[in-house]
Amino acid sequence: MMDTHCPVAVLISGNGSNLQALIDASSNSNYRIVGVISNKHDAFGLQRAQHADIATHVIDHRLYPDRISFDRDLINKLDELQPRLIVLAGFMRILSSEFVRHFKGHIINIHPSLLPKYPGTNTHQRVLEAGDKEHGVSIHFVTEHLDGGPVIAQAAITIEPDDSADTLQQRVHVEEHRIYPQVVSMFAAGRLEMGEQTALLDDQILPIGGIRL
Ligand code: GRF
C-alpha cells in the first residue's frame, strides 16, 4: 500500500531532544522521518534515531574545504532521501543561499526566543540581561537571513524572578518538544506555506509572530 505519510528529514548536531519529540509523535501522526543527518559523529541524536530504526547519515563539515562543498553533499544526500520537509533540530551550521534556494519553502527551524527578538546564540542569557518578562520559542521557515525567515508558530513562557539561563533553557525545551511535532504535522497536512514576509496557514496570512500554540 502507498505510504501517504509526509517524508521528513531531520538535521541535527547534538543531543536531539527535539528529534526525540518528533520521533515519539510520529507513530501517531501524518509524517514519517526518512532520515537523520548530523554533521557530527558523536551527536547523541544519532543514537536516538538508530534506536527508532531510522536511517542515519554523518556528513562531517570538517572534511570539506568550504561551506559550499559541504552544502552540496548535504543537498545530494537530501535529494536521495526525497523529503518534503527538512527539519532543523539543533543543527549548528549556517546554510548557504544555494542550499536554501534548492529547498525553498521546505525547510523549518526551531529557535529558542520569541523572534524577531534575539536571533543568534545565548538567547536565554540575553533575555535575562534585558530584564524581559516573557521568553519562548519560535518555529520559522528558513530563508537566507539567519533566524529571519517567516515565523510559523511561537510558544511563550513567563520569566520568574528566580529563573536562570539554565532553568529558562529547560522550560523553553518543554515548549519546543510540545510544539515542534504540531508544526511538522501541519506542514505534512499541506496547511502551511512560506510567503514573502510571513507564513500562511490554511491560505491565511499569519501575524509576524506566527500562531501561538
Ligand atoms: C534547541 O534549543 C533549539 O531551539 C536550538 O537548538 C537546541 C537543540 O536541542 N535550535 P536538542 O538537540 O533538540 O536537544
Side-chain angles (χ1 to χ4, degrees):
M1 220 168 67
M2 205 176 94
D3 185 358
T4 54
H5 290 74
C6 172
V8 171
V10 183
L11 270 52
I12 60 164
S13 299
N15 180 29
S17 67
N18 279 287
L19 166 65
Q20 188 67 58
L22 291 166
I23 291 171
D24 293 346
S26 69
S27 55
N28 201 10
S29 195
N30 54 356
Y31 64 90
R32 190 165 70 86
I33 302 175
V34 294
V36 169
I37 304 177
S38 171
N39 64 311
K40 294 198 166 171
H41 288 275
D42 59 356
F44 182 62
L46 290 169
Q47 292 182 41
R48 298 180 188 269
Q50 284 152 10
H51 199 247
D53 282 329
I54 297 167
T56 58
H57 312 272
V58 176
I59 305 179
D60 184 344
H61 64 280
R62 293 170 309 179
L63 303 178
Y64 294 84
D66 49 31
R67 187 180 303 284
I68 197 66
S69 44
F70 168 76
D71 275 18
R72 283 185 183 143
D73 264 13
L74 196 56
I75 289 172
N76 290 339
K77 176 47 75 185
L78 286 163
D79 281 345
E80 277 172 36
L81 292 171
Q82 297 206 321
R84 198 146 68 73
L85 179 65
I86 297 167
V87 174
L88 310 184
F91 184 64
M92 301 305 286
R93 301 290 303 165
I94 293 171
L95 294 164
S96 60
S97 306
E98 184 170 324
F99 184 98
V100 173
R101 277 200 300 267
H102 191 85
F103 298 109
K104 189 175 176 203
H106 293 261
I107 317 167
I108 60 174
N109 182 42
I110 191 159
H111 180 78
S113 79
L114 296 172
L115 291 170
K117 291 183 102 173
Y118 311 111
T121 54
N122 290 326
T123 58
H124 310 300
Q125 189 58 40
R126 286 158 65 203
V127 161
L128 282 178
E129 281 163 12
D132 289 6
K133 304 221 164 349
E134 197 185 46
H135 186 31
V137 54
S138 306
I139 296 166
H140 63 94
F141 281 109
V142 173
T143 63
E144 292 165 49
H145 306 286
L146 182 66
D147 300 327
V151 175
I152 299 165
Q154 294 183 324
I157 60 168
T158 303
I159 300 178
E160 306 296 342
D162 57 352
D163 264 320
S164 64
D166 278 352
T167 60
L168 285 181
Q169 183 180 23
Q170 284 165 24
R171 294 177 58 214
V172 167
H173 254 118
V174 172
E175 299 303 310
E176 294 186 9
H177 302 160
R178 183 173 68 78
I179 73 171
Y180 219 0
Q182 291 184 46
V183 169
V184 171
S185 175
M186 283 179 202
F187 187 96
R191 300 178 59 197
L192 282 173
E193 211 183 311
M194 181 170 86
E196 281 306 317
Q197 308 290 334
T198 55
L200 287 89
L201 174 64
D202 299 330
D203 296 324
Q204 303 292 313
I205 293 173
L206 291 176
I208 291 296
I211 40 167
R212 281 280 164 125
L213 289 176

